[in-house]
Amino acid sequence: MLTSLHHLIDCEWMLEAYRLTRKDGAPGIDGMMATDYEANLEANLGDLLARIKSGRYIAPPVRRHYIPKADGTERPLGIPTLEDKVAQRAILLLLEPIYETDFLSCSYGFRPGRSAHDALHALRNGFMEQGLRWVVDVDISKYFDTIDHAHLRRFLDQRVTDGIVRRMIDKWLKAGVLEKGVLRRTTGGTPQGGVISPLLANIYLHYVLDEWFEQVARPRLKGRCQLVRYADDAVIAFEDHLSGKRLLNVLDKRLGRYGLQLHPTKTRFVDFRFKRPGGRHPATAGTTFNFLGFTHVWGQSRKGKNVVRQITAKDRYARALASVTEWCRLNLHRPFRAQHAHLSRVIRGTAPTTASPATADGSDGITTRSRGYGRNGSRGVAATAICRGRASGPCSRDTRCRQPRSSTNMPSRERSLRVKNRMRVIRSSGSVRGGDGNIPAYSAEGGRGR
């Protein structure tokens, strides 16, 4: 348990937190942009640090914004102010190395050094090498909006009791949401869009799902099984059919104890055998499933071997194609360089998310659609965009693809290394050396200890 952490946060720490904060995001309720904040950066960060340590910092409510989802509904996002993002980043730099030593290998979402492709690779290896053939496709209904604050505080009590850090987290949980000029206080959940929210969400499911599966459920199940989780999106694969049914029956009860609920239609039990002599098992709801934007199906390699294919999900692929088609139709009048720059960004952003080692590059259709709208030089734009989007480095065949080398900011790099070295100190268990040792422990039951 760590009782003293806040003394690590100083002006150098705040500068690193500001450097890691996105500067091009939408403003919060105060309308503050990065250019305005940087006009007096050191003084602003110094004042922010003083308010954090003295307890005078007031977490502003987040600005509500909605984005459309694939099923036609809208996903609520909370947009914090720029200063609030910096404060959250500073606390995140403290907590992340602590919980990275606790998180299990089955968790991949919003963790340094791990990605969605790592999760897909681990899942595919389970099917190919461990003989897993039955899948529970887990979908937690409105997870970020239903996290119970009391349970979350108890989970945090097990590792972090620094009063200043815990007070900051409580302020963010209670900050509320400003929507259409009306302030609404929240009693549960963490706002999607906040810097600290993904870590808090991972901490919650670490205790509710990950540890429970590895320590309680797995020893009681027959055969091999595997959990792969990316934030609130999880898949549990089994070698034995009855083990999958048993876990699905108790999973809803387990989540219900902590205020969570499985989606009644999106949570499915899948028959993922590549040979089904009698057809699909009657207790299952399908033979394929989607995970992280990829549909998982069985296919055959060129040598005739049964292999798992991860194909870009049709709905996501169709939306990407429709977006590129519409943009190309409306922007044929724009200059060559402007079209080239936009299509390059689209393909560079699409290729990592629509391609995996087990499937063809999902950006093929997007680049083809871009080429199909070639008029008066647009074909050259698409071709150059394809080159820059696919190549790992500048293409020697086209001088337009050459990218200038960015200048190195040595003071920023040195500061980053210094902060990272200090973060390594936090990884040890117990109180951090160098603290004053007089900070009263924070408890979820009674606030600051006496």
Side-chain angles (χ1 to χ4, degrees):
M1 182 183 296
L2 298 170
T3 61
S4 181
L5 286 171
H6 68 274
H7 63 277
L8 292 171
I9 306 178
D10 54 15
C11 291
E12 188 178 54
W13 194 281
M14 297 302 294
L15 282 170
E16 178 64 12
Y18 182 79
R19 186 186 71 83
L20 295 174
T21 301
R22 281 189 59 184
K23 314 300 191 302
D24 57 348
I29 61 172
D30 61 353
M32 175 71 72
M33 301 297 292
T35 53
D36 303 325
Y37 198 79
E38 288 176 353
N40 198 7
L41 181 60
E42 292 190 4
N44 288 333
L45 293 180
D47 178 65
L48 174 60
L49 176 61
R51 283 181 284 138
I52 290 175
K53 291 201 171 185
S54 64
R56 293 182 291 111
Y57 181 79
I58 300 176
V62 297
R63 181 168 64 87
R64 177 66 80 203
H65 178 71
Y66 292 93
I67 59 174
K69 296 175 64 176
D71 57 3
T73 61
E74 293 183 321
R75 184 190 304 277
L77 294 181
I79 304 177
T81 63
L82 177 67
E83 189 174 63
D84 201 43
K85 292 178 184 178
V86 177
Q88 291 188 32
R89 179 67 64 179
I91 300 300
L92 179 67
L93 290 175
L94 276 179
L95 298 182
E96 193 172 63
I98 297 171
Y99 282 100
E100 276 301 308
T101 63
D102 294 347
F103 288 158
L104 304 182
S105 60
C106 60
S107 172
Y108 292 88
F110 304 106
R111 294 182 59 186
R114 291 186 161 225
S115 67
H117 282 299
D118 295 328
L120 292 168
H121 182 70
L123 183 60
R124 185 172 185 269
N125 283 349
F127 294 129
M128 298 293 296
E129 299 175 6
Q130 300 183 37
L132 307 180
R133 296 294 181 264
W134 306 90
V135 173
V136 174
D137 186 6
V138 181
D139 189 285
I140 303 176
S141 180
K142 299 181 179 179
Y143 170 63
F144 284 89
D145 298 329
T146 56
I147 293 177
D148 185 88
H149 289 175
H151 288 302
L152 178 60
R153 292 189 183 99
R154 294 190 185 98
F155 294 150
L156 290 170
D157 278 345
Q158 299 183 31
R159 289 295 277 141
V160 178
T161 57
D162 184 295
I164 291 177
V165 174
R166 294 296 302 277
R167 256 203 319 266
M168 291 293 292
I169 295 177
D170 281 346
K171 289 177 180 180
W172 288 318
L173 293 177
K174 299 175 182 178
V177 176
L178 186 66
E179 184 175 1
K180 296 180 180 179
V182 178
L183 178 61
R184 180 172 58 86
R185 296 294 179 182
T186 54
T187 58
T190 60
Q192 298 185 62
V195 178
I196 199 72
S197 294
L199 177 63
L200 298 179
N202 268 338
I203 293 172
Y204 201 82
L205 278 185
H206 168 73
Y207 290 102
V208 173
L209 180 60
D210 300 353
E211 277 196 348
W212 170 78
F213 176 80
E214 295 293 340
Q215 299 175 9
V216 179
R218 185 196 287 271
R220 291 171 169 81
L221 298 175
K222 179 182 177 181
R224 288 171 287 192
C225 53
Q226 179 186 27
L227 166 66
V228 178
R229 180 176 67 82
Y230 191 93
D232 61 331
D233 199 357
V235 167
I236 310 176
F238 305 86
E239 184 180 13
D240 180 66
H241 166 258
L242 293 178
S243 294
K245 289 186 63 177
R246 287 180 58 197
L247 187 128
L248 183 57
N249 291 335
V250 301
L251 183 59
D252 198 26
K253 299 178 182 177
R254 169 67 183 179
L255 297 179
R257 289 178 56 188
Y258 297 93
L260 305 177
Q261 185 179 6
L262 291 175
H263 196 286
T265 58
K266 294 182 179 180
T267 300
R268 304 184 308 146
F269 187 38
V270 178
D271 181 354
F272 201 62
R273 297 173 295 173
F274 59 84
K275 289 183 179 180
R276 293 179 289 273
R280 176 172 62 86
H281 195 283
T284 59
T287 58
T288 65
F289 65 95
N290 290 347
F291 182 58
L292 299 180
F294 288 89
T295 301
H296 291 66
V297 298
W298 281 100
Q300 285 192 336
S301 67
R302 293 181 179 181
K303 297 181 179 180
K305 181 181 178 182
N306 292 311
V307 295
V308 174
R309 298 289 188 190
Q310 295 168 326
I311 305 171
T312 305
K314 292 182 179 179
D315 55 348
R316 179 170 298 189
Y317 195 43
R319 290 197 305 271
L321 286 178
S323 176
V324 171
T325 299
E326 183 67 10
W327 189 92
C328 290
R329 186 179 67 83
L330 297 176
N331 292 273
L332 290 176
H333 63 283
R334 299 184 65 183
F336 175 91
R337 292 185 180 275
Q339 296 185 52
H340 165 266
H342 178 82
L343 291 175
S344 296
R345 288 194 299 269
V346 168
I347 295 174
R348 283 199 300 268
T350 303
T353 58
T354 58
S356 77
T359 185
D361 190 342
S363 62
D364 285 343
I366 295 176
T367 54
T368 302
R369 185 61 56 92
S370 301
R371 186 184 299 114
Y373 274 82
R375 295 288 192 278
N376 299 326
S378 293
R379 183 179 298 275
V381 174
T384 307
I386 293 169
C387 181
R388 293 188 65 175
R390 296 279 184 79
S392 57
C395 176
S396 60
R397 294 176 296 177
D398 193 338
T399 56
R400 292 171 296 182
C401 294
R402 299 186 183 276
Q403 303 177 8
R405 296 178 61 183
S406 59
S407 59
T408 304
N409 189 340
M410 291 303 296
S412 176
R413 288 189 60 187
E414 292 176 2
R415 182 173 64 248
S416 177
L417 291 174
R418 286 164 61 97
V419 171
K420 288 180 180 179
N421 289 335
R422 292 165 60 191
M423 289 170 62
R424 293 191 182 98
V425 180
I426 309 175
R427 295 182 183 272
S428 59
S429 59
S431 297
V432 176
R433 294 185 178 182
D436 51 21
N438 297 321
I439 305 299
Y442 187 99
S443 171
E445 303 297 335
R448 292 178 64 90
R450 299 191 176 186

